[in-house]
Amino acid sequence: MKFDVVDPSDEQAVPDEEAAPDEPVAGDEPLPPGVHPRLDRAARRMHARVGADLGTLGESLNRLHAHIETARSRGAEDAPPAPPPTNFRAGAFSRPPSP
């Protein structure tokens, strides 16, 4: 068998070596009974990562919205109004009126 040694990625779980598994991290409030300190640290890290990811997503969506609004304003100014095609049927996808 042959094994390759690789560096762990951000997605892989890497245990904290700074704090002992049974000791709470300094400055933290005491954990409720039955909650393992490693689980608490992992939950805090995941919460921080999700918060950062949501912030990045929000910025990306705001940029996308700005691009869409710019394209809409350019399109409305440049494009002359065109009549619908001859085979266009406005009521083709609507429901018939109920009796």
Side-chain angles (χ1 to χ4, degrees):
M1 291 181 127
K2 182 178 177 182
F3 295 97
D4 292 330
V5 178
V6 296
D7 292 326
S9 69
D10 290 338
E11 299 299 321
Q12 294 173 330
V14 179
D16 286 339
E17 296 175 2
E18 298 171 358
D22 295 332
E23 295 178 12
V25 178
D28 287 344
E29 61 217 29
L31 297 175
V35 176
H36 197 275
R38 284 179 134 175
L39 180 62
D40 181 60
R41 282 193 305 272
R44 288 175 192 253
R45 274 195 312 267
M46 186 60 65
H47 181 73
R49 286 177 62 185
V50 166
D53 289 345
L54 286 175
T56 303
L57 176 64
E59 292 171 6
S60 297
L61 289 175
N62 287 334
R63 283 194 307 268
L64 177 62
H65 180 68
H67 287 298
I68 290 171
E69 290 300 318
T70 303
R72 279 185 183 165
S73 66
R74 286 182 192 158
E77 295 169 358
D78 298 340
T86 57
N87 62 351
F88 177 71
R89 295 180 295 155
F93 297 103
S94 61
R95 293 183 179 176
S98 54

